[in-house]
């Protein structure tokens, strides 16, 4: 994603991230493939993946979870609550 890309094609959030961060931004539904592209082709040393914890094929050295004071929401799994997996 480049800053000059049309948001209707790449999405407004990825475009804004590319503009504000001045970093490489890749959109790929297969997170491991997108990460491989960033690592192998663009030679990135650090990859931050939004919503990547549930993608088990995505290799990671460190996992960081950012939560606000709501903690884990209602405590229910989808579709009733915001959690995606059991604890």
């Amino acid at each position: 994603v480049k800053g000059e890309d049309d948001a209707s094609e790449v999405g407004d959030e990825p475009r804004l991230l590319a503009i504000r961060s001045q970093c490489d931004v890749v959109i790929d539904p297969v997170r491991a493939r997108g990460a491989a592209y960033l690592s192998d082709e663009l030679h990135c040393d650090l990859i931050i993946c939004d919503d990547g914890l549930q993608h088990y094929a995505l290799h990671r050295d460190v996992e960081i979870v950012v939560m606000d004071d709501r903690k884990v929401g209602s405590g229910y799994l989808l579709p009733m609550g915001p959690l995606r997996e059991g604890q």
Side-chain angles (χ1 to χ4, degrees), residues 35-36 54 66 78 87:
Q54 71 270 19
V66 178
L78 290 174
Q87 296 182 11

Side-chain angles (χ1 to χ4, degrees), residues 1-58:
V1 176
K2 304 286 185 210
E4 61 271 9
D5 289 341
D6 188 338
S8 66
E9 293 180 15
V10 299
D12 57 344
E13 185 179 7
R15 182 176 178 270
L16 184 62
L17 285 169
I19 291 170
R20 291 199 176 172
S21 70
Q22 297 294 300
C23 292
D24 295 311
V25 176
V26 170
I27 302 168
D28 194 325
V30 179
R31 300 296 199 277
R33 181 177 58 203
Y37 178 79
L38 286 165
S39 178
D40 300 342
E41 301 296 323
L42 301 180
H43 308 291
C44 294
D45 294 322
L46 173 67
I47 299 171
I48 299 173
C49 185
D50 179 32
D51 209 20
L53 289 177
Q54 71 270 19
H55 297 277
Y56 298 115
L58 181 63

